[in-house]
């Protein structure tokens, strides 16, 4: 769980980003983008936001590296430089839900259905199939290829977009309780982004709904998303 104490990016270099992937291959560039998001250079910050969206939530698809970025974005949203907070909240929303899902918000997000689909496509499902294929394969090169895939799956890496998306959603869900205080932030855009993010998590409705209703009751400044 995040706190407002300590360095925002503590532990960033302890993540093995080079062996995680995003939309364009290795995620080794993610630490630099997160640092730029917190920096003083406005142009670099805007480029970092664009790159993080494009790499970690490309056209709504989340990747192996996506949930690893979530704790750092949550810290930035909670206690980062003011220009970065709104961007971090926007990125957290993009890592939790994709473009198509955003059209469903008026009817409520069917999280139970999302979880069921992710479970059906979890990484443990195809493992026996890869092991069976590996045992029957005679060609050495194909065996090596199958072994690499089998090892990847056995390590628990996501092999399906639904699985990757749910892992990212769950990572954001875990960080949300620490962000409730941002509903009282002095910046109305931070308040709005926080409220919008919370609406996607019915699991927390018992806590978040009273807070959101309270915010709506006294909110005078209602910026556009």
């Amino acid at each position: 769980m995040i706190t407002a104490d300590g360095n925002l990016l503590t532990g960033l270099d302890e993540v093995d980003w080079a062996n995680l992937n995003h939309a364009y291959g290795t995620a080794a560039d993610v630490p630099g983008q997160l640092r730029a998001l917190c920096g003083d250079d406005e142009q670099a910050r805007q480029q970092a936001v664009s790159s993080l969206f494009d790499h970690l939530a490309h056209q709504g698809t989340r990747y192996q590296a996506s949930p690893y970025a979530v704790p750092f974005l949550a810290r930035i949203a909670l206690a980062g430089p003011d220009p970065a907070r709104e961007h971090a909240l926007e990125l957290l929303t993009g890592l939790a839900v994709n473009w198509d899902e955003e059209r469903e918000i008026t009817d409520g997000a069917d999280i139970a259905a999302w979880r069921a689909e992710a479970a059906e496509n979890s990484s443990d499902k195809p493992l026996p199939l890869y092991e069976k294929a590996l045992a029957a394969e005679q060609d050495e090169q194909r065996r090596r290829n199958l072994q690499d895939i089998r090892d990847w799956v056995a390590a628990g890496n996501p092999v399906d977009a639904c699985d990757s998306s749910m892992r990212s959603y769950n990572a954001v869900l875990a960080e949300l309780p620490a962000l409730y205080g941002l509903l009282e932030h002095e910046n109305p855009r931070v308040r709005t982004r926080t409220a919008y993010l919370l609406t996607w998590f019915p699991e927390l409705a018992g806590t978040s709904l009273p807070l959101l209703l309270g915010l709506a009751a006294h909110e005078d400044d209602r910026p556009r998303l």
Side-chain angles (χ1 to χ4, degrees), residues 90-171:
E90 186 178 8
L91 282 159
L92 286 170
T93 304
L95 290 174
V97 296
N98 70 32
W99 296 352
D100 289 337
E101 288 156 0
E102 288 185 353
R103 300 171 190 160
E104 301 173 6
I105 193 168
T106 55
D107 298 321
D110 191 350
I111 302 302
W114 296 1
R115 290 196 182 281
E117 187 175 5
E120 183 63 27
N121 295 279
S122 63
S123 58
D124 62 333
K125 298 291 184 179
L127 184 57
L129 299 177
Y130 285 119
E131 291 179 338
K132 182 178 179 180
L134 182 61
E137 183 58 61
Q138 299 298 315
D139 181 83
E140 187 60 32
Q141 182 58 54
R142 286 197 290 268
R143 277 186 58 81
R144 285 197 294 268
N145 292 339
L146 279 170
Q147 185 69 54
D148 288 343
I149 297 171
R150 182 267 173 206
D151 291 347
W152 170 272
V153 173
N157 292 302
V159 294
D160 179 85
C162 294
D163 189 9
S164 293
S165 295
M166 203 73 249
R167 293 182 189 210
S168 194
Y169 179 95
N170 288 337

Side-chain angles (χ1 to χ4, degrees), residues 186-201:
E186 61 183 11
N187 183 339
R189 296 190 65 85
V190 170
R191 296 197 299 272
T192 301
R193 285 289 178 195
T194 303
Y196 182 65
L197 173 61
L198 289 174
T199 60
W200 285 105
F201 294 85

Side-chain angles (χ1 to χ4, degrees), residues 7-17 35 68 72 75:
N7 191 310
L8 292 175
L9 300 180
T10 295
L12 183 63
D13 292 327
E14 296 174 13
V15 177
D16 190 7
W17 297 101
R35 288 189 172 96
Y68 289 86
F72 302 105
R75 289 183 197 168

Side-chain angles (χ1 to χ4, degrees), residues 20 52 155 197 218:
L20 300 173
L52 287 166
L197 173 61
H218 66 71

